[in-house]
Amino acid sequence: MDADDPATWPNPLAKLVDELARDSARTGPADYRDLSLYGYEDQVHRLLDGHLVRAWHCTRLLDHEVDAIRSQGLRRLDANLVEGRLGEAHRRGLLTDEQCTALKAKHSLAPGMKNRGRREGQVCLAMSTAAFLDEPDGFWRLLAHWGGESLYAYHEQDPDLAGVLRSLGKPAVVTALIDLSDPRAHSVFTALPNLFVGKALGTQPAHAEVFYRFAIPAEHIESIAHPGDDDYDRFPGLVRV
């Protein structure tokens, strides 16, 4: 199912959302994010049981990494993933010895780093393409720097290493299918009831961010789009190079 397409919503979810939207239109605040729907969060998650939900992961990928996602899926962030990507880029001659050493010494999961593990064990995704139209700048750093937040957050002010991270790979939007039926397994902001009611009300471009705590298998990867592909270029505010 797709949050952007109410025709794909399971009937029990659509019925609940319609009821909540009617109530919210009469008595709720103007902004869908401010609606008091916390008590429905577990219910909405459970109404997704048996349904995979479409979501989008924004990143920057080298060609061999595109192939790896197609064959192996998306892995959760951990130190092995970061250092494995750096090591493979070095092995392929895309990073010098000095660059690889500097990047391995300073990333979010390197020993002794502050905020270590803030994104560890997660795949971060957008749950609506409305985010790409409403707040495209929020994806600029992810799409402009290879290696993700775990690397660019520590090197984007370094003129040399930041230039390296911006020169590697190409922007990519990975479309994936995820299981959100367990309300305790993952985090969604804005919460699912608010997202769906926001979609039903249609007064704002409703969207949410998912911190997904499972790896996503290859069979749940729908597509990987780059600049020049229709599925990427329909979002003109995203990074082009």
Side-chain angles (χ1 to χ4, degrees):
M1 64 153 287
D2 192 326
D4 291 335
D5 183 1
T8 68
W9 299 358
N11 287 336
L13 173 65
K15 182 179 178 181
L16 175 64
V17 170
D18 181 64
E19 293 171 356
L20 295 176
R22 289 174 185 270
D23 290 343
S24 299
R26 289 194 301 268
T27 63
D31 194 316
Y32 73 98
R33 291 166 291 193
D34 296 330
L35 295 171
S36 182
L37 300 174
Y38 177 79
Y40 296 94
E41 193 165 358
D42 284 7
Q43 183 179 358
V44 170
H45 276 273
R46 293 193 175 104
L47 288 174
L48 295 174
D49 189 25
H51 301 272
L52 294 175
V53 181
R54 186 169 288 118
W56 292 265
H57 176 67
C58 292
T59 186
R60 193 174 180 93
L61 298 171
L62 298 164
D63 289 344
H64 68 273
E65 294 173 330
V66 173
D67 294 338
I69 290 172
R70 286 185 172 135
S71 63
Q72 302 168 28
L74 280 167
R75 294 166 56 188
R76 299 183 302 165
L77 177 64
D78 60 19
N80 289 335
L81 175 61
V82 176
E83 300 211 354
R85 294 183 73 183
L86 290 169
E88 185 63 17
H90 176 247
R91 188 185 73 80
R92 291 171 180 264
L94 301 172
L95 292 173
T96 67
D97 292 349
E98 293 77 11
Q99 290 165 348
C100 187
T101 297
L103 292 169
K104 281 188 174 183
K106 197 172 183 182
H107 59 80
S108 65
L109 297 172
M113 294 300 295
K114 292 182 179 179
N115 296 322
R116 176 176 167 81
R118 190 164 63 94
R119 293 282 187 260
E120 188 172 14
Q122 302 175 355
V123 181
C124 296
L125 307 108
M127 204 176 147
S128 170
T129 57
F132 301 151
L133 298 169
D134 185 38
E135 297 179 353
D137 289 349
F139 301 94
W140 184 86
R141 296 162 85 200
L142 289 166
L143 294 167
H145 300 82
W146 176 78
E149 181 182 2
S150 60
L151 279 175
Y152 72 64
Y154 297 93
H155 300 286
E156 61 185 331
Q157 302 304 320
D158 182 314
D160 296 322
L161 288 176
V164 170
L165 296 179
R166 287 196 295 268
S167 72
L168 293 175
K170 54 188 174 182
V173 174
V174 182
T175 305
L177 300 174
I178 59 177
D179 179 357
L180 291 175
S181 60
D182 186 343
R184 286 165 292 281
H186 316 288
S187 299
V188 184
F189 305 100
T190 301
L192 283 182
N194 298 68
L195 171 66
F196 285 115
V197 170
K199 293 291 186 185
L201 293 172
T203 55
Q204 294 169 277
H207 45 86
E209 186 174 12
V210 180
F211 299 98
Y212 195 69
R213 297 189 179 93
F214 297 155
I216 302 173
E219 59 267 28
H220 292 166
I221 302 298
E222 285 196 324
S223 65
I224 302 174
H226 306 286
D229 297 332
D230 289 344
D231 281 347
Y232 191 102
D233 290 347
R234 63 193 177 112
F235 307 114
L238 296 184
V239 172
R240 315 314 297 172
V241 295

